[in-house]
C-alpha cells in the first residue's frame, strides 16, 4: 500500500540503524505512533541538508509516508528541525 502524500512526522529518535546510503531512524510520536524514517544524502538534496541524528533527539522530518501491514515508514526529503 502506497500513500504518496507529503507529510511531516515529529517525535523522538529511539534507535538508528545504518544503511548503505544513509540510515533509518525509529521515531516515536507524541500520539504513540512509530515511524521508520529513511534518511539519505540523496533524498534530502545533498550533503548540505544531511544531518546525522542521535538517539534521544527530538526531530521533525518531512517526506513521503508509506505503510506496510505492521509498520509506518517515511522517506525523508527534508529534516525540518533537530533539538
Amino acid at each position: 500500500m502506497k500513500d504518496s502524500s507529503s507529510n511531516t512526522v515529529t517525535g523522538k529518535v529511539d534507535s538508528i540503524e545504518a544503511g548503505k546510503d544513509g540510515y533509518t531512524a525509529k521515531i516515536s510520536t507524541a500520539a504513540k505512533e512509530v515511524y521508520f524514517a529513511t534518511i539519505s544524502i540523496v533524498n534530502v538534496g545533498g550533503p548540505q541538508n544531511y544531518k546525522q541524528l542521535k538517539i534521544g533527539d527530538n526531530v521533525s522530518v518531512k517526506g513521503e509516508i508509506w505503510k506496510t501491514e505492521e509498520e509506518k515508514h517515511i522517506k525523508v526529503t527534508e529534516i525540518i528541525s533537530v533539538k
Side-chain angles (χ1 to χ4, degrees):
M1 185 170 117
K2 197 165 173 72
D3 175 7
S4 61
S5 60
S6 203
N7 286 300
T8 303
V9 172
T10 302
K12 188 172 168 209
V13 177
D14 291 334
S15 65
I16 291 176
E17 201 172 298
K20 69 177 184 354
D21 296 330
Y23 60 95
T24 300
K26 183 179 169 187
I27 300 173
S28 295
T29 69
K32 305 280 187 257
E33 293 181 305
V34 174
Y35 286 87
F36 292 91
T38 304
I39 300 170
S40 71
I41 292 170
V42 173
N43 290 341
V44 297
Q48 69 276 17
N49 302 323
Y50 181 80
K51 294 182 182 87
Q52 178 65 54
L53 301 179
K54 297 187 281 305
I55 293 170
D57 281 349
N58 285 305
V59 300
S60 189
V61 296
K62 186 177 183 179
E64 185 181 300
I65 291 175
W66 53 280
K67 297 172 180 138
T68 63
E69 288 181 24
E70 292 90 34
E71 298 174 341
K72 294 178 183 160
H73 296 262
I74 179 166
K75 181 176 87 178
V76 176
T77 55
E78 184 184 348
I79 299 171
I80 298 167
S81 70
V82 181
K83 294 183 187 101

